Structure formats: C-alpha cells, structure tokens
Amino acid sequence: MKLAAILARKDLLETLRDKLSFVFILLMPLAFTLFFGLLFGGGGNTDKLPLAVWDADGGAAAKQLVADLDKSSVVHVVVKQGDEFETWMADERAAAGLLVPKGYSAAVASGEQADLTIVSTQGSNGAATAASAVRSLAGEQVTVELASRAAAEAIWTTRSMRSGSQETVVVQSAAEARPVVAAALARPAVSTRVVEAGAAAGQTPSGFILSSPGMLVNFILFSLMTAGIALIIERQNGTLQRLMTTRLRRWELIGGKAAGMFLLTFVQQILLMGVAQLFFGVDYLRDPVALFLMMVSLSLVASTLGLLLASVMKSEQALIATTVLVSMAVAAMSGAWFPLEITGPTFQTVGHLLPTAWILDGLRGIVVRGFDVSDVLPAFGVSVAWAAGFFVLAVWRFRLSD
Amino acid sequence: MSIVEVKELRKQYDPPKGVLAVDGVSFGIEQGEIFSLLGPNGAGKSTTISMLSCLLKPTGGDATVAGHSVVSDPQAVKETIGVVPQDIALYPDMSARENLVFWGRMYGLSGDELKRRVDEVLELITLVDRQKDRVDKFSGGMKRRVNIGVALLHKPKVLYLDEPTVGIDPQSRRSILDGILALRDQGMTILYTTHYMAEAQELSDRIAIVDHGKMIAVGTHEELVKIVGEGARVSARVDHYLEGMAERWREVKGVEKVEIEEDEAVLLTEDPNEVLPRLFEAAATAGSRITEINVTEPNLEMVFLHLTGRALRE
Ligand SMILES: Nc1ncnc2c1ncn2[C@@H]1O[C@H](COP(=O)(O)OP(=O)(O)OP(=O)(O)O)[C@@H](O)[C@H]1O
Ligand SMILES: [Mg+2]
C-alpha cells in the first residue's frame, strides 16, 4: 500500500514538472474555456453591461445616481420596476440589477449611510463589474453631498468673524470643516449588498457557466493521453518490469499507476476550477461536498479509462490516436461542447449512457442550480460503476512488457 | 545446498508453438561465487534471468533462491535478489539521485538508511558529482552504472547482471568489471550473463555455456578448456631456413606436432611454459634466430566451436 502511494506520487511529480504537460493540462483547457465562454456570450467587457435598475426611492439623489450610471462607460441603464425587474433578472437579460430602496435620497441628504442592493445573475460575470461601477458612482455622490454639507456648516460657525481678511476666514472655515469631512470619508458612504438571482429551473445557462465544466471534462479526458503515454513508455523502457523485481506487488503496481492518474486529474480539476472560480465568475463552491463527489467521480472515470487504454494499446501512436478520438467523442456526446438540452431526445438518452454526461449534469447543476449532495448521488453511482468496469478490464489486460 | 538451485528449468513462449527459449537447464550457484551464463544472442540467457527474477513463469521445472521457490514464493525470492536488466531501466527525466531514491523506496528503504545507501551507491558507481543531472543527459557508460547501482541499494544476497557491459567504452567496462569483482569479494553471490568470452573468463569462478536454450557445458575455465582436448598453439618465425628449424623442433621434448603454415611454424604443446625455453635453445644450437613467437592458449571460443561447430561471435 505504501509502495503504491510512493509510485503514484512519483508519477504525479514526473508529469507535473514536464513543461509540455503543463500546456496540455492547464493552458489549453483555459484557452478553450475562454474561447467557448465568449462564444456563448459569457460577458466580454467590450460592450456596456446592461444594468436593470429599479428605483423604488424616486428622490433627487436616486435620480441623479441613475443618470450618472447611464453616463458611465461600463454600464447602460435599463429602468425596470417591480415584476418586470424580477423577470429581467430571472431571464438573465441584464448583467446585473440595481435596487435603489426607499429612503435612499433622504439618507444621502442627511449625510447618513445609504443602502443599495445589487442583484447578480448566475449566467454572467458582469455582476462584479456592474457592482463596482454602482459602488463608485454612489459613493462619489454621497461623498460630494457630505463634503458640501461640512463646508456649509463650517461657514455657518465662522460667520461671526467680521474682522480679519478673507484669507483668515477661509483658513478658519477649512480648519473647522476638515475633521467633519475626514470623519465622513472614513466610513463607507454607501453599503451595497450583492444578492444572487438564481437561474430559473430548466433554463439553459450561458457563457463560462457553460464552457467551464464542459471544457473541464473534455480536457480531463484529454490528459489521459499524458498519463497513458507515461505508462506505455514505462512498459517499453523496462521500468515496469523492473518494478516487479522489487518488493512491489502486482496489485500495488496497478493500483499505484491508477492512483497516479487519479491524482493528476484531480490536481488538474482543482487548478481549472480555481481559475474559473476566481477569474471567470463560475461559482463551483456553492456546495463543496457535492463538488468533491463530482470531482472524485470524474477522476475515477478518467483514471480507470486511462489505465485501460494504456493497457490495451501497444504503441504511443496508437494511444494518442485512440485517446484523441475517445476523449473528443465522449466529451461531445456528454455535452461538454454544447449542452445536451439543445439536442434531441435520442442524443440525450445516448449521451446519458456515459458517466461523463452525468458528471457534467452534476457539475452544471452545482454551479447553476445549487445542487447538493443528494442531487449528485446518482451521477456518483453511475461513475463508480463505470470506473469499476474499466478497472477490471484494465487489470485483465495489464502487461509488464510487450 | 547452493544458494541458487536451478532444476530442469524450461520456458516456451506462447505454447504450444512458440519458441522454446530455455530447454531444461539445471545448475547450482554457490554462496559468494560469480557464475556466468555465456552464450550467443538468443541463447536464452535473459529468459533464464527473468524466470529466476520471478518475472516469467517457467513452463517446467523450478528454481530456488536462498531456499525459496521462484514459482511458489516469489515475494521471498524478490527480497533476496537484485536485478540489473539487460536494457537500461531507469526514469530518464529524473536525476541519478532521484532514480536511486525512488528505487530504494521500492526496495523498502526509507529515512536515514535510504539516504545513506544512496550516498554509498553513488560513491560506488562514481557519480557523486553528477548525481543531480538527469539520466537522459548521461553517457551510455554512466547510465549503465546507474542501472547497476539501483540493484545494489538494498544489499541483495544474490545479484543478477544481464549483459551489463554491452555497448560501452573500455574504461567504463573496466570500472564495472572491477566493481563486480569487489562485490564478490564482499561476499555477494553473482549471476552474470554475457556473450563476451574474455569477460566470462576474467570474472567467473564458474561458467555455463548455453546455446539454443540448452546448457552445453559447465565448470571452471580450466575445466572447460580441457574439453577441447588440445594444448596450446605456438606459432614462430625464424630468420632463415624454416623447414630445417621445424625438423629440429619436432624432436624437442613436449612438442606434439609441428606444421609449416606459410612462413611460420605452428606447434602444439600441452605445456608452453616448459617447451618455450627449449625452442629457443634448439634455435640457438642450429644457429637460427627466432624473430617472432606467439602462444595461443585454448579458450572458450574454441570450446564453443568444438561443442557446437559454430563460432561464438564477439
Ligand atoms: N517475449 C518473447 N516472446 C517470444 N519469444 C521470445 C520472447 N523473448 C525472447 N524470445 C525468444 O527466446 C529466445 C531466447 O531469448 P533471450 O532473450 O532469452 O536470449 P538471450 O540469450 O538473452 O539473447 P541476447 O544475448 O540477445 O540478449 C530467442 O529466440 C528469442 O527470440
Ligand atoms: Mg538477453
């Protein structure tokens, strides 16, 4: 057992420090995620983001804020009230929504902290951009208001000073106003709260939400090639045989090889999901346990399939050709390139013979619909069954040398 | 009992029609000796080693290593042996040290002991200053040395070396052969395969000559060359009148046969040490001077030729 773990660790490190595999494991999938994400309308920042605004306040300050927002280079405002606003958010027709609550103008006028609510939608990574635009404009507005008030008050207190030059009065007034302005600036002028709209059930997600899990599955399958080639090379250069002259037992050898592939694909998932989470606005962490189950499922299926392909294929060339074919076909049929929802029922049924289709449903469910563990259990079961099958076949066909 | 005991070992690849690579081989290796399998390409040397390493299941017979059967108790056998495969089996993208550390772990070493053994082996294979370099940057000889070093990490009782000097420069070969002799002197039992006659002769305490899967002779070098049944060959040239000289030499005690081949006389004798001074004496008496003289002792090459009718090509 310990020896198998050492073997797996060696395999992982050997792959990770190879510069070429870095390209295959990380760069290519990210490039494709970006490409498909933008293709599906994932929110390039080239156009102004549509911002749905519901002005429930209607006061002077609120009107001013909406006007300022519309002039900004980041968003363009679509005014929607009540139900209409809700529908827009649910349909993800806007990148984000802004709710200006009653009492906003009054709060601004009295120099108190003003509250705003930003509604972000799942299918877009524009929410963060829109939110920061709102925050800075509203903050500016409130701060200007506060500073003006402070100055006015200072002038009021220093009005009795008839004597003295204009210069002295200005200096005095400024000195009076300074602490008030400073104090006002120290606390945030507006508080914004970001809430998620949650996509309506049965809706086809778009953008990175769509491309990230798809490309993840596609390239995890693709990296079977890297792991499989490593195994074939070991079979050809005699190290596999040599391993069997050490204390390592046969099951430890096969187990260690499978574990190495498992680790590799798992690390790859962490990296790809991390980048998607941080930079593409895909929220994988909505249910970490469910996510973990799906990651385990995908790595199980991928590593056992990789082991099987490497056991069956004789040469590197044969393996590369087969892996490209298999991974592309499996990825496409599982809905990694385009969602199965847009295909016909036959395609969907056929697709769902594959464990990867289930895993993709699980991953997208987690990201879009907030799936929890019970929702992804079937996908986990299907994956474990397939992985067990692959593994048994791989063990049966496993050879030490050609 | 011998530490390695081989009984009627057989291996047929892909039976029933496949190659009979090893055809009923039996021998024993004593503790602390170097035992060589000498034979041409395809003789079945590697196949024998593979069976003794528990990598291949014999199709007949059995072998024991330190009393453990390779068929029924492979795990115990594997803990006794170190195997140096014919083809270099290392991770080319890892450094020499990383390779040794990894293989050491596979032999069950860890911690301080592992570190100490890796250092010792690096010293032994004289690669201390190149230990951090990737193996694929090494010369053939250096790779061969690492390939051997791996099998020494766990100080095995029995070491198998399958043609460890193929394709390397004379210096590397020399250092490998010296290393092997040193290991034997420390008490290690060594099974060595080669198709270089000189190597087998120099290294081995005993030699088994194999051909077509069969063992055709076994013994010490002296025992084996006796099989040829001929003494040494002495060929000589003189400054004038070779025929007359040959007549006189025919009379010298210990000379069995004299023939003239072109411009030299070829003599056969059992004991060249005794005969040579007499040849010079006879020449001096006849007023002739020996200008060139060569002694060829019978060798394994001649044994192989004698037993198979074919040359053991170097
Ligand atoms: N895996 C295999 N499958 C089928 N036949 C094989 C296999 N390995 C070896 N042979 C055959 O068995 C015979 C013995 O081969 P082996 O490799 O044991 O010889 P060898 O003495 O080690 O030769 P060399 O000096 O070339 O290494 C050869 O005829 C070879 O072709
Ligand atoms: Mg061989």
Side-chain angles (χ1 to χ4, degrees):
Chain A
M1 191 62 195
K2 198 178 137 216
L3 295 185
I6 296 170
L7 180 62
R9 195 177 133 236
K10 183 229 91 195
D11 279 1
L12 178 67
L13 294 179
E14 220 183 344
T15 312
L16 288 185
R17 71 180 181 186
D18 177 31
K19 287 187 196 71
L20 193 65
S21 62
F22 178 76
V23 171
F24 278 104
I25 286 172
L26 204 59
L27 294 188
M28 250 170 60
L30 288 178
F32 273 76
T33 307
L34 201 63
F35 175 74
F36 276 98
L38 295 176
L39 196 70
F40 293 143
N45 290 338
T46 42
D47 294 334
K48 283 189 184 185
L49 296 165
L51 177 72
V53 176
W54 178 2
D55 182 4
D57 179 73
K63 287 211 170 81
Q64 184 62 46
L65 175 64
V66 174
D68 288 349
L69 278 170
D70 204 25
K71 272 184 258 161
S72 91
S73 58
V74 186
V75 295
H76 74 88
V77 170
V78 193
V79 180
K80 295 286 160 194
Q81 309 281 14
D83 286 352
E84 218 185 343
F85 178 82
E86 309 269 4
T87 329
W88 263 62
M89 295 320 297
D91 290 355
E92 302 186 357
R93 291 168 71 180
L98 171 65
L99 179 59
V100 187
K102 251 196 172 65
Y104 174 79
S105 298
V108 172
S110 63
E112 284 162 28
Q113 200 180 47
D115 297 321
L116 289 171
T117 305
I118 291 160
V119 186
S120 79
T121 55
Q122 283 304 317
S124 162
N125 69 339
T129 319
S132 70
V134 169
R135 243 189 303 268
S136 76
L137 281 173
E140 207 178 292
Q141 184 184 37
V142 176
T143 309
V144 166
E145 184 65 33
L146 276 173
S148 328
R149 286 179 66 91
E153 270 166 29
I155 291 167
W156 177 255
T157 27
T158 52
R159 78 192 187 287
S160 51
M161 295 168 51
R162 297 266 156 72
S163 58
S165 61
Q166 187 190 356
E167 179 65 19
T168 328
V169 176
V170 170
V171 169
Q172 277 276 335
S173 311
E176 293 266 350
R178 201 168 292 122
V180 186
V181 175
L185 288 179
R187 72 191 151 90
V190 277
S191 79
T192 47
R193 198 162 52 92
V194 178
V195 298
E196 286 170 359
Q203 189 177 322
T204 307
S206 62
F208 294 126
I209 293 276
L210 194 67
S211 76
S212 171
M215 288 303 115
L216 179 86
V217 168
N218 186 66
F219 280 93
I220 293 289
L221 289 172
F222 216 73
S223 64
L224 298 184
M225 200 156 79
T226 318
I229 288 174
L231 182 56
I232 289 189
I233 288 178
E234 277 214 50
R235 194 162 68 216
Q236 287 171 348
N237 74 11
T239 44
L240 218 50
Q241 264 206 353
R242 185 168 211 174
L243 280 169
M244 285 310 294
T245 69
T246 68
R247 294 193 175 194
L248 196 72
R249 290 161 199 270
R250 190 181 161 87
W251 70 264
E252 288 176 315
L253 174 62
I254 302 176
K257 284 286 157 200
M261 294 189 192
F262 183 94
L263 282 179
L264 174 70
T265 52
F266 204 82
V267 167
Q268 190 185 4
Q269 289 194 70
I270 292 175
L271 292 174
L272 292 179
M273 284 177 176
V275 172
Q277 178 92 27
L278 289 174
F279 301 107
F280 297 155
V282 183
D283 191 5
Y284 279 109
L285 291 173
R286 289 181 77 178
D287 189 325
V289 182
L291 178 70
F292 180 74
L293 273 187
M294 285 302 89
M295 291 170 77
V296 168
S297 303
L298 183 52
S299 281
L300 270 180
V301 169
S303 56
T304 50
L305 178 59
L307 191 70
L308 176 61
L309 289 176
S311 299
V312 173
M313 293 301 136
K314 272 226 179 316
S315 68
E316 248 178 275
Q317 288 79 357
L319 180 89
I320 292 173
T322 319
T323 318
V324 170
L325 225 71
V326 168
S327 66
M328 294 285 173
V330 167
M333 285 176 59
S334 309
W337 294 356
F338 40 84
L340 288 182
E341 282 89 340
I342 67 170
T343 66
T346 323
F347 203 86
Q348 285 195 35
T349 318
V350 173
H352 279 88
L353 292 175
L354 299 168
T356 37
W358 291 77
I359 293 170
L360 257 178
D361 286 352
L363 283 174
R364 287 192 179 129
I366 290 171
V367 172
V368 178
R369 286 164 210 170
F371 270 18
D372 60 18
V373 173
S374 61
D375 296 318
V376 300
L377 271 182
F380 181 68
V382 171
S383 303
V384 169
W386 271 91
F390 287 149
F391 190 68
V392 168
L393 285 177
V395 170
W396 174 52
R397 297 302 305 262
F398 193 85
R399 287 163 295 145
L400 291 174
S401 62
D402 293 309
Chain B
M1 199 174 110
S2 315
I3 186 157
V4 178
E5 196 91 58
V6 179
K7 279 169 275 173
E8 282 301 309
L9 205 57
R10 294 169 72 84
K11 177 70 195 182
Q12 181 172 29
Y13 286 106
D14 317 308
K17 281 195 221 132
V19 186
L20 192 55
V22 175
D23 188 4
V25 164
S26 302
F27 58 87
I29 306 177
E30 303 308 319
Q31 171 92 47
E33 77 171 338
I34 298 181
F35 186 94
S36 289
L37 296 178
L38 172 69
N41 292 137
K45 304 182 294 291
S46 296
T47 306
T48 306
I49 295 257
S50 289
M51 286 190 284
L52 297 183
S53 316
C54 315
L55 285 174
L56 273 183
K57 283 237 175 306
T59 40
D62 195 357
T64 58
V65 181
H68 308 290
S69 156
V70 296
V71 177
S72 58
D73 195 1
Q75 205 63 22
V77 171
K78 290 203 269 174
E79 289 181 15
T80 319
I81 59 172
V83 183
V84 180
Q86 178 169 355
D87 299 314
I88 288 157
L90 300 167
Y91 296 103
D93 53 352
M94 286 169 33
S95 73
R97 187 177 189 93
E98 285 169 334
N99 264 286
L100 290 172
V101 167
F102 170 74
W103 288 104
R105 292 211 166 102
M106 289 295 122
Y107 285 119
L109 301 175
S110 61
D112 286 346
E113 194 195 7
L114 173 65
K115 193 184 166 309
R116 190 171 46 80
R117 281 303 294 156
V118 167
D119 287 334
E120 284 172 9
V121 166
L122 279 167
E123 197 83 48
L124 197 70
I125 59 178
T126 59
L127 282 175
V128 177
D129 23 309
R130 299 291 304 271
Q131 56 175 296
K132 296 236 167 74
D133 293 356
R134 282 164 57 122
V135 165
D136 56 8
K137 301 266 182 302
F138 281 179
S139 71
M142 290 158 81
K143 285 183 194 159
R144 285 266 163 212
R145 264 138 63 196
V146 181
N147 200 38
I148 295 173
V150 163
L152 300 175
L153 287 161
H154 60 303
K155 294 196 166 164
K157 279 209 194 91
V158 182
L159 180 67
Y160 304 157
L161 292 140
D162 195 358
E163 307 205 28
T165 60
V166 168
I168 58 174
D169 60 287
Q171 269 149 298
S172 293
R173 170 188 293 221
R174 192 62 259 157
S175 94
I176 287 176
L177 295 184
D178 288 343
I180 293 167
L181 288 168
L183 289 171
R184 192 264 316 266
D185 294 342
Q186 289 160 25
M188 201 177 272
T189 306
I190 291 162
L191 171 58
Y192 191 92
T193 83
T194 182
H195 61 266
Y196 296 125
M197 176 207 82
E199 237 175 42
Q201 175 175 349
E202 187 201 328
L203 277 182
S204 320
D205 296 301
R206 286 190 306 136
I207 301 161
I209 299 178
V210 288
D211 187 37
H212 291 314
K214 287 204 165 69
M215 204 170 81
I216 53 180
V218 64
T220 62
H221 180 255
E222 290 72 39
E223 288 167 353
L224 289 175
V225 292
K226 283 217 182 82
I227 297 173
V228 182
E230 278 177 19
R233 232 174 89 110
V234 179
S235 57
R237 292 181 197 197
V238 290
D239 57 352
H240 68 272
Y241 194 37
L242 187 63
E243 286 77 12
M245 199 61 250
E247 283 312 308
R248 282 172 180 257
W249 276 342
R250 198 160 281 144
E251 308 306 317
V252 170
K253 187 168 165 248
V255 173
E256 286 159 12
K257 204 169 150 195
V258 180
E259 270 170 17
I260 302 230
E261 282 177 15
E262 294 183 19
D263 56 349
E264 59 181 21
V266 177
L267 300 81
L268 288 183
T269 170
E270 278 300 326
D271 192 349
N273 271 2
E274 228 167 63
V275 164
L276 243 49
R278 293 183 196 142
L279 297 183
F280 282 96
E281 238 174 63
T285 323
S288 280
R289 215 157 53 78
I290 297 176
T291 55
E292 193 184 323
I293 189 157
N294 283 304
V295 182
T296 316
E297 296 265 10
N299 57 27
L300 296 171
E301 181 78 60
M302 290 151 83
V303 178
F304 191 83
L305 186 69
H306 179 87
L307 292 173
T308 65
R310 288 179 297 121
L312 172 67
R313 249 179 306 264
E314 290 256 335

